[in-house]
Amino acid sequence: MPSLIGCHALVFTGEFDARSIETSVQRAHQAGFDLIEFPLMEPATFDSATARRVVEGEGLHATSSLGLPLDADISSDDPSIVSAGRQLLDIALDKTAEMGGLHLCGVLYGSMRKHMAPASASGRANSVAAIQRLADRASSLGIPLSLEIVNRYESNVINTGRQALEFLKEVDREGVSVHLDTYHMNIEESDLFQPILDAGDRLGYVHIGESHRGYLGTGSVDFGSAFRALDRINYAGPIVFESFSSAV
Ligand code: MN
């Protein structure tokens, strides 16, 4: 089965009221995409019923993504912050299920922001334990999870594909895979070919983004190598274009 080709909803809108959900889904469909990815910026208030109705109406597929905030960082050493993160991930997973989403991805393992120090060993263990628990819930709902690898200015837990594979080994759950993004790879990896081969069948989700998040082909990302590697591993998961509307 060929990859579903998707588009990040932030390409179209920065707001997620019912009308913006509807417009972004329609525009993704009109542009020829198979799938739309919704960023769950505030999971508790995400209108999953509208998303489901509109996505089904347009005959599209949907996925959702999330980057944890600092006060819900499961890689923290503070048990109350870890607990808030677990709750937020549960809500995000439930919203994904309610929407009929195919996948939950993003920076699920820690807070997405600039940190001045690496995560501690105990913080990392908190993250592994929380992802294991989330993976077990997700697997009962039939929703795969993918952990998005982002650059050093956006996570202090994992920044490269190789680190992600080590983390996945610790998590040790079938339903959890690596999510690579060419924008972040372009900052952290030596090239855009080998990390994809190394991930192999553990690669479950891909974001396509230019070095400046703008029009594809106008930046410095080596898409040729990335796509040759995806072809080499017979990658069949979603491939989602991520950029941000000038309105965002
Ligand atoms: Mn991304």
Side-chain angles (χ1 to χ4, degrees), residues 92-149:
L93 179 61
D94 291 340
K95 290 285 180 177
T96 305
E98 287 164 22
M99 173 178 80
L102 298 180
H103 220 106
L104 176 61
C105 59
V107 185
L108 306 176
Y109 51 83
S111 59
M112 195 168 75
R113 71 188 304 272
K114 186 174 176 185
H115 291 265
M116 301 313 284
S120 68
S122 59
R124 184 188 166 93
N126 289 340
S127 174
V128 168
I131 292 294
Q132 287 173 327
R133 183 181 153 280
L134 183 70
D136 293 339
R137 281 198 70 227
S139 127
S140 72
L141 294 167
I143 297 174
L145 304 179
S146 296
L147 308 181
E148 181 168 17
I149 312 316

Side-chain angles (χ1 to χ4, degrees), residues 148 150 179 181 184 207 213 242:
E148 181 168 17
V150 297
H179 167 184
D181 178 321
H184 297 288
H207 273 168
R213 287 284 191 214
E242 180 178 17

Side-chain angles (χ1 to χ4, degrees), residues 8 37 65 105-107 112 148-150 154 179-184 205-209 213 240-244:
H8 199 285
E37 176 184 323
S65 58
C105 59
V107 185
M112 195 168 75
E148 181 168 17
I149 312 316
V150 297
E154 300 185 42
H179 167 184
L180 291 177
D181 178 321
T182 58
Y183 165 84
H184 297 288
Y205 206 91
V206 172
H207 273 168
I208 295 297
R213 287 284 191 214
V240 177
F241 170 58
E242 180 178 17
S243 186
F244 309 115

